[in-house]
Amino acid sequence: MPDEAPVGFDILLTEGTDAPRPWVACADPRATARRIADEVERHPAASVALVHVLRMGPALAPPDRLLVESLAYSALQGGADFRAWLAASPPRRPRPSAEPVRLSRDGDHLDVVLDRPWARNAFDAATRDALCEAFDVAAADPTITRIDVRGTGPAFCAGGDLTEFGASRDTAEAHRVRVSRSPAALLLRCAAKVTAHLHGACVGAGIELAAFAGRVAAAPDTVIRLPEIGMGLIPGAGGTASLPVRVGRERTAYLALSGAALTATEALRWGLADEITESRWH
């Protein structure tokens, strides 16, 4: 590994362990590069969109990064790759909840709890709207000084609810809704107050939103993944804005294009988590 990372590369792989950012350490860089190349060949539109959005990020303010991400995501929703993924996906039954997010307040402390354990707290429209309300209140109320975000059941959040994928055929309207009802944009306004408590599966939206938090605590069983490229999409819950701030655009690209799973220990080493701690919400 060179003393200084070369510029102009979207992913940098090296042998060994404990490689500094932006490098990704792996046992066989050539084999890993081949797997990533195969994924790019299978999903060229999503792969190119991801890299372009990540490259643009450093020049943009965080709200603008969310806007660009949403535009790219909506374009890919109308693409052949995503439609093929939808057509090949088995039918799924909705698993709604009357209260997908529970709020409780004790003095200056607000607990925000994802509470659809039977669906591994999958991120659906009702969860999105409830989180928007929670973070809007938290950002507007200066007497709230500490916010803990948790999930009940076996997983913090297993990503987007697949029962709702492809439900909107109007991608322009989907973009409008995404930017007008954005938990990520509201979380940004109160991020310094927020600690996200991860455990179990933290997939897609489950890590994309959590990475905006001022502090991230991961239980030892935490497993992080960005699976969207395999669906013909890119992260759409803010991941191209949140993860690069913590781990850099190169490591974000690696996670998305490789589909690799990151353990709690690896997340701590990369800076995607700030501490490893047991969770009482399992």
Side-chain angles (χ1 to χ4, degrees):
M1 183 178 64
D3 292 335
E4 294 186 7
V7 298
F9 289 86
D10 296 297
I11 297 177
L12 291 163
L13 305 174
T14 185
E15 292 179 325
T17 58
D18 296 329
R21 173 175 164 178
W23 296 92
V24 174
C26 50
D28 189 339
R30 290 184 182 276
T32 301
R34 285 194 295 269
R35 288 196 298 271
I36 292 172
D38 289 343
E39 188 72 357
V40 171
E41 187 173 354
R42 283 191 293 268
H43 307 288
S47 300
V48 169
L50 172 79
V51 169
H52 284 169
V53 170
L54 290 174
R55 287 177 181 176
M56 294 171 67
L60 301 174
D64 293 331
R65 295 178 200 172
L66 295 175
L67 179 63
V68 169
E69 176 186 279
S70 180
L71 286 168
Y73 189 91
S74 288
L76 292 167
Q77 280 184 309
D81 198 3
F82 178 58
R83 292 299 164 190
W85 180 85
L86 280 177
S89 298
R92 296 178 174 90
R93 296 179 59 184
R95 299 160 292 178
S97 169
E99 190 180 15
V101 178
R102 288 191 290 106
L103 303 181
S104 61
R105 182 169 179 176
D106 182 8
D108 62 357
H109 174 221
L110 179 68
D111 245 342
V112 179
V113 182
L114 307 180
D115 194 24
R116 281 207 305 156
W118 60 88
R120 297 200 301 165
N121 297 319
F123 192 81
D124 62 356
T127 300
R128 174 201 67 203
D129 291 343
L131 285 176
C132 281
E133 293 175 11
F135 293 139
D136 194 23
V137 168
D141 188 345
T143 67
I144 296 175
T145 62
R146 183 162 63 93
I147 306 161
D148 287 295
V149 182
R150 313 176 190 273
T152 59
F156 173 73
C157 175
D161 192 324
L162 299 183
T163 66
E164 294 186 349
F165 269 47
S168 174
R169 297 287 169 169
D170 187 337
T171 58
E173 175 63 12
H175 166 67
R176 187 195 67 79
V177 171
R178 195 177 299 109
V179 296
S180 63
R181 298 289 290 167
S182 171
L186 293 166
L187 176 52
L188 272 170
R189 292 169 46 197
C190 57
K193 307 177 184 180
V194 177
T195 298
H197 299 265
L198 309 184
H199 75 276
C202 300
V203 179
I207 187 59
E208 295 174 51
L209 287 173
F212 282 112
R215 188 160 188 82
V216 176
D221 67 345
T222 297
V223 179
I224 292 166
R225 289 181 54 243
L226 293 177
E228 292 90 348
I229 294 293
M231 304 173 187
L233 299 171
I234 65 170
T240 64
S242 61
L243 268 72
V245 173
R246 282 185 165 268
V247 305
R249 70 174 181 86
E250 297 89 353
R251 285 178 166 179
T252 302
Y254 166 78
L255 284 176
L257 291 173
S258 70
L262 207 64
T263 66
T265 300
E266 291 166 330
L268 180 65
R269 187 161 57 238
W270 279 21
L272 194 49
D274 300 300
E275 63 175 316
I276 296 179
T277 182
E278 291 290 346
S279 170
R280 64 185 178 91
W281 289 91
H282 282 217

